[in-house]
Amino acid sequence: MSYEEVILDHWRHPRNKGRLPSPDASAVEANPLCGDVVRLELALRDGRVEDVRFDGEGCAISQAAASLLTEMIKGKTVEEARGLKDEDMLGALGNVVKTRLSCALLPLRALRKALGLGS
Ligand code: FES
């Protein structure tokens, strides 16, 4: 799928959207450039991301990237989730245009914050 198709698919059909009843880790991250927000909530078990939800208000790219990120980390170990790099997110999205990098990476910054890493 092209970048546009990935974004549209996740924007129209968001995966893992909503809230968890009692998350083990969570974070809200805002893009200072526009004020858009992504919230990530994680259920952790035996060192793995057992479940995940996202929520937020923002542009299609940030919300679609959050949806995609939930699919990328569900079932992964916490260490694998911690090790995700900007390039991994951008690669999964396709060729993000440079002016929208802060949108595409907002959910990953929320993930790092939830896992106790600096964004
Ligand atoms: Fe705000 Fe994309 S325009 S995160």
Side-chain angles (χ1 to χ4, degrees):
M1 277 201 282
S2 71
Y3 161 66
E4 288 82 7
E5 286 168 337
V6 172
I7 299 287
L8 268 183
D9 181 40
H10 280 269
W11 172 245
R12 290 192 179 133
H13 309 287
R15 327 292 205 268
N16 303 304
K17 181 146 196 219
R19 306 286 300 268
L20 288 174
S22 54
D24 299 303
S26 66
V28 179
E29 189 72 18
N31 184 342
L33 301 176
C34 60
D36 290 350
V37 170
V38 166
R39 176 201 313 272
L40 266 190
E41 294 184 335
L42 308 171
L44 307 176
R45 181 185 286 235
D46 299 331
R48 282 187 185 273
V49 179
E50 186 180 56
D51 207 358
V52 52
R53 294 283 185 283
F54 86 94
D55 199 359
E57 292 288 334
C59 68
I61 295 177
S62 66
Q63 303 304 303
S67 168
L68 181 61
L69 182 64
T70 64
E71 287 195 323
M72 289 167 68
I73 62 174
K74 201 166 181 174
K76 287 246 169 32
T77 67
V78 171
E79 286 317 306
E80 286 168 337
R82 279 204 170 109
L84 276 180
K85 302 201 167 30
D86 291 3
E87 302 78 62
D88 299 325
M89 186 77 238
L90 299 175
L93 279 166
N95 291 312
V96 179
V97 285
K98 287 214 164 40
T99 51
R100 306 306 298 274
L101 289 181
S102 61
C103 307
L105 295 173
L106 182 62
L108 187 56
R109 287 173 41 218
L111 175 67
R112 289 173 183 153
K113 195 174 182 182
L115 295 176
L117 304 171
S119 63

